[in-house]
């Protein structure tokens, strides 16, 4: 996983796990990889992965069953979805619209690009 410098690595790891839950890789009450497994997969220190899992647990996204590992909490998908949607509306869209205005782009340009990306299946895959 490539990490950016604008956000703590453990938060980026927590975001990645949230992305995986949103994408349906893990559903409510599914076991997620152990801290060690996830740390190895992402090539990070286990302590960093622990911090990410602790953050997800504090946010109510995952829970720990002592001796069994971490599991996805009930309602985690909906909670992540609602939070991300609100962040998108409040923080990202205003930036996009500001840039569109500065660059003289209209909604038809936006819709055309969105349709092209959807046809190429690049919206979901990255």
């Amino acid at each position: 996983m490539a990490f950016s410098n604008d956000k703590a690595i453990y938060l980026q790891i927590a975001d990645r796990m949230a992305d995986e839950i949103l994408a349906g890789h893990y559903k409510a009450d599914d076991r997620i990889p152990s801290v060690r497994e996830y740390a190895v997969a992402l090539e990070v220190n286990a302590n960093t992965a622990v911090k990410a899992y602790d953050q997800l647990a504090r946010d109510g996204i995952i829970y720990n069953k002592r001796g069994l590992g971490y599991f996805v909490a009930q309602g985690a998908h909906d909670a992540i979805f609602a939070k991300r949607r609100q962040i998108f509306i409040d923080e990202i869209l205003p930036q996009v619209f500001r840039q569109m205005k500065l660059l003289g782009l209209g909604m038809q340009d936006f819709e055309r690009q969105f349709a092209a990306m959807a046809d190429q299946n690049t919206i979901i895959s990255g």
Side-chain angles (χ1 to χ4, degrees), residues 88 93-116:
F88 182 81
L93 269 181
Q95 294 174 27
V96 169
F97 291 147
R98 188 175 312 110
Q99 288 298 315
M100 287 176 68
K101 183 172 179 149
L102 288 171
L103 299 172
L105 297 170
M107 287 308 293
Q108 56 275 41
D109 298 306
F110 181 85
E111 290 169 357
R112 188 172 31 254
Q113 186 63 29
F114 185 85

Side-chain angles (χ1 to χ4, degrees), residues 18-107:
D19 289 347
E20 292 177 12
I21 293 168
L22 273 180
H25 297 292
Y26 304 107
K27 296 180 180 18
D29 296 317
D30 281 355
R31 184 184 176 280
I32 61 172
S34 72
V35 169
R36 286 195 197 318
E37 291 168 341
Y38 213 50
V40 168
L42 299 180
E43 299 177 348
V44 298
N45 185 293
N47 291 330
T48 305
V50 166
K51 286 178 71 172
Y53 276 41
D54 285 348
Q55 182 64 51
L56 290 166
R58 278 192 304 276
D59 292 343
I61 303 301
I62 63 174
Y63 63 94
N64 189 2
K65 283 187 182 178
R66 191 165 179 87
L68 297 176
Y70 284 93
F71 294 80
V72 177
Q74 289 289 326
H77 178 277
D78 293 343
I80 296 165
F81 182 86
K83 181 178 179 183
R84 294 268 184 95
R85 183 179 173 102
Q86 199 60 52
I87 289 169
F88 182 81
I89 290 169
D90 293 345
E91 298 175 18
I92 297 170
L93 269 181
Q95 294 174 27
V96 169
F97 291 147
R98 188 175 312 110
Q99 288 298 315
M100 287 176 68
K101 183 172 179 149
L102 288 171
L103 299 172
L105 297 170
M107 287 308 293

